[in-house]
Amino acid sequence: MTNFIKPTNYKALLDRRQTEQGIKLIKDFFEQNLSTELRLHRVTAPLFVLKGLGINDDLNGVERPVTFPIKDLDDARAEVVHSLAKWKRLTLAEYEIEPGYGVYTDMNAIRADEELDNIHSLYVDQWDWEAVITRKDRTVAYLKDVVRRIYHAIRRTEYLVCESYRQIKPFLPSDIHFIHSEELLQMYPNLTAKEREDEICKKYGAVFLIGIGGDLSNGEPHDGRAPDYDDWSTVGDNGLKGLNGDILVWYPVLGRSLELSSMGIRVDKEALLRQLEIAGKTERKDLFFHQQLLNDHLPLSIGGGIGQSRLCLMLLHKAHIGEIQASIWPEEMREECKRLGMPLI
């Protein structure tokens, strides 16, 4: 419980029944807005994929997927998805989606190595989305335009929640601020990456942090990213590397920054080979997903994930994600949350 935040004078603004109603309101409204903004249609997604195809997202490369044997496939191993970053791109090709359109789905995952706190759970639920783009769209300018459209959908949802529950007051700024992770490092060279995020979000309220995965001038990445979905090594419009990033907001209930989405323009063939080399993962070139991309069977795309429970936590002004979703928590944390007025589901 080292990262567990105990907010002072916390009082839930909605009871349990209102909270459940609010969760449904947010999910229904935001999902429709996201679909309209980005011209996405819904598809059905897998909970698990076969091991060894290179389809599962390996996140930072250290998280262990939950695996199990399949009796009718001679005990071949399946992995519960971490996210659907690569599966969605295969789906775009399978459905023959045209540029400017895409797909979204409800992604449910188990992340057994997650460090549990106010915003991290073993259970992950998010809207995973992916859209086809053209070669000329692979720019920071295009990335920013998509980010703004997603942020506007979030703000419209906040307005609906505040109209439905007058005790909840809006706090999101009208616009989202853009900054590259290298620029942020130069602003706060003596802070950790997480502390830098807190400072910039406290200053602007809502931030899109560009360029996550590649090494910065201090020899370290701002945060880890797998080498085979987001493009974090291509030089963008501003001369800095990275065509990906995170949507972050300042969350006053917990007094910290809150990541709502990780997203980006995906690797093309050149970026894939370059990033596999940088990451020391060149053996992945022979996997099914990577062969599909290297042999021009997959479209260029942009995509990401938006946390469903995270968004509900923020818009309903909750202090713990366990007030939004059912999961497993240390008994000590459950007792402390109950004492602090935030009983977990």
Side-chain angles (χ1 to χ4, degrees):
M1 291 178 48
T2 55
N3 297 320
F4 180 51
I5 298 173
K6 302 176 183 180
T8 56
N9 302 318
Y10 173 72
K11 180 175 174 56
L13 300 180
L14 303 179
D15 62 28
R16 289 199 178 208
R17 179 173 293 184
Q18 290 173 317
T19 298
E20 294 289 359
Q21 293 170 341
I23 291 170
K24 187 175 190 312
L25 178 75
I26 290 168
K27 289 187 175 183
D28 289 349
F29 184 81
F30 179 78
E31 181 175 311
Q32 185 59 53
N33 270 260
L34 179 69
S35 173
T36 301
E37 279 285 356
L38 302 185
R39 293 190 289 188
L40 311 172
H41 75 260
R42 191 185 184 284
V43 295
T44 300
L47 176 60
F48 40 81
V49 294
L50 281 174
K51 182 179 180 179
L53 297 180
I55 298 175
N56 203 1
D57 175 6
D58 67 344
L59 303 175
N60 294 313
V62 297
E63 294 88 349
R64 299 168 300 169
V66 175
T67 66
F68 59 92
I70 306 172
K71 180 181 177 181
D72 271 7
L73 293 182
D74 296 324
D75 281 347
R77 305 292 295 186
E79 296 180 342
V80 176
V81 297
H82 274 149
S83 86
L84 298 169
K86 289 178 278 189
W87 177 87
K88 292 176 297 182
R89 200 164 175 184
L90 293 166
T91 300
L92 292 178
E94 184 178 351
Y95 280 69
E96 300 181 340
I97 304 296
E98 298 178 357
Y101 296 86
V103 299
Y104 78 93
T105 191
D106 289 294
M107 190 282 293
N108 297 290
I110 301 171
R111 296 183 182 172
D113 290 336
E114 201 72 80
E115 295 183 14
L116 308 180
D117 57 27
N118 303 68
I119 64 171
H120 294 97
S121 171
L122 298 175
Y123 170 62
V124 179
D125 56 341
Q126 64 185 35
W127 292 282
D128 251 329
W129 65 273
E130 198 85 9
V132 178
I133 61 175
T134 64
R135 176 65 59 178
K136 67 179 179 61
D137 295 326
R138 301 189 81 257
T139 66
V140 174
Y142 185 86
L143 175 65
K144 288 181 177 180
D145 178 66
V146 174
V147 169
R148 289 189 184 98
R149 284 189 272 161
I150 294 173
Y151 184 67
H152 292 158
I154 292 173
R155 286 197 69 236
R156 283 195 295 272
T157 309
E158 182 189 45
Y159 175 79
L160 175 65
V161 170
C162 294
E163 284 293 295
S164 302
Y165 304 100
R166 292 305 180 96
Q167 65 270 43
I168 297 178
K169 305 301 179 185
F171 66 89
L172 293 175
S174 57
D175 296 309
I176 188 167
H177 179 76
F178 294 89
I179 188 169
H180 193 280
S181 55
E182 177 62 37
E183 297 170 318
L184 186 61
L185 174 62
Q186 298 305 317
M187 288 177 65
Y188 306 109
N190 298 320
L191 300 182
T192 66
K194 179 63 182 67
E195 290 169 342
R196 296 196 294 270
E197 290 181 2
D198 286 346
E199 289 300 317
I200 198 68
C201 287
K202 191 184 303 182
K203 183 176 182 179
Y204 290 104
V207 173
F208 185 72
L209 184 59
I210 303 171
I212 298 178
D215 284 351
L216 304 178
S217 59
N218 63 356
E220 301 174 356
H222 179 84
D223 199 359
R225 284 293 186 277
D228 40 17
Y229 56 98
D230 280 355
D231 187 340
W232 41 257
S233 63
T234 293
V235 176
D237 305 345
N238 55 2
L240 296 170
K241 291 181 180 179
L243 296 175
N244 71 334
D246 289 345
I247 296 177
L248 307 165
V249 299
W250 178 252
Y251 188 43
V253 174
L254 295 177
R256 57 158 293 170
S257 60
L258 183 68
E259 178 191 321
L260 296 179
S261 175
S262 174
M263 58 175 286
I265 291 171
R266 307 308 198 184
V267 291
D268 58 9
K269 289 194 296 185
E270 293 75 21
L272 173 65
L273 293 173
R274 180 169 59 247
Q275 291 180 185
L276 289 177
E277 184 72 32
I278 293 170
K281 303 288 186 181
T282 54
E283 72 280 0
R284 292 188 186 181
K285 289 187 295 184
D286 296 326
L287 297 176
F288 171 74
F289 170 83
H290 304 73
Q291 281 294 304
Q292 291 294 103
L293 178 56
L294 293 173
N295 290 313
D296 297 315
H297 298 318
L298 302 181
L300 298 174
S301 68
I302 182 173
I306 303 167
Q308 295 185 9
S309 290
R310 284 269 183 98
L311 187 65
C312 293
L313 167 96
M314 180 192 72
L315 295 180
L316 298 178
H317 294 204
K318 297 293 186 178
H320 197 290
I321 203 163
E323 298 178 84
I324 298 295
Q325 57 161 247
S327 187
I328 297 173
W329 308 99
E331 192 58 33
E332 180 185 359
M333 183 180 290
R334 280 192 175 275
E335 291 299 322
E336 188 66 5
C337 286
K338 183 177 181 181
R339 186 184 69 80
L340 294 169
M342 44 185 186
L344 308 184
I345 297 173

